[in-house]
Amino acid sequence: QVHLVESGGGLVQSGGSLRLSCAAFELSMSHDVMRRYVMSWYRQAPGKERELVATETADGDSTNYADSMKARFTLSRDDAKDTAYLQINNLKPEDTAVYYCNARFRYNNNTLWGEGTPVTVSS
């Protein structure tokens, strides 16, 4: 069974940057876990619904971003490390949220979620 673990969140001042990580682990300790999945990032701000930040296309050739996040957010991945990333630049207080990674299995669309990593942006 594959597990996702996010990290990299924290308290940052407005205008700062963070790189969030999402590591994929399989209890059988097999390699090349993340290669089987299409990765996305979501966030959930206090009192709000979870919203999509960025998602890869199925062929992996491009990434789609929420309109309000195109300029400052970048999803990337390193399959050799079984890790996906979300780079966030010029952070704003409204970016305060818990950020979750999501993995969709390429072969049957089953999805996995991590526990989230909180980001707090001070003004």
Side-chain angles (χ1 to χ4, degrees), residues 36-118:
R36 311 170 206 164
Y37 294 87
V38 177
M39 301 304 296
S40 302
W41 282 92
Y42 288 74
R43 71 182 186 182
Q44 187 165 15
K48 296 187 177 181
E49 293 186 354
R50 193 171 298 188
E51 63 177 343
L52 177 68
V53 175
T55 185
E56 297 177 314
T57 56
D59 59 12
D61 285 347
S62 62
T63 303
N64 294 318
Y65 296 89
D67 287 342
S68 62
M69 304 181 202
K70 286 179 181 177
R72 299 184 295 113
F73 292 74
T74 304
L75 184 159
S76 63
R77 62 190 290 159
D78 184 342
D79 286 343
K81 296 181 178 179
D82 283 329
T83 302
Y85 304 95
L86 183 69
Q87 177 72 37
I88 315 173
N89 297 324
N90 190 23
L91 278 153
K92 305 175 184 299
E94 54 264 39
D95 295 322
T96 295
V98 178
Y99 285 74
Y100 298 90
C101 69
N102 170 281
R104 179 170 59 83
F105 192 54
R106 295 183 185 276
Y107 307 107
N108 64 10
N109 288 329
N110 285 348
T111 59
L112 302 170
W113 291 93
E115 294 295 318
T117 184

Side-chain angles (χ1 to χ4, degrees), residues 24-36:
F25 296 93
E26 191 167 44
L27 295 180
S28 65
M29 303 296 287
S30 63
H31 299 289
D32 290 334
V33 174
M34 190 163 282
R35 199 179 302 276
R36 311 170 206 164

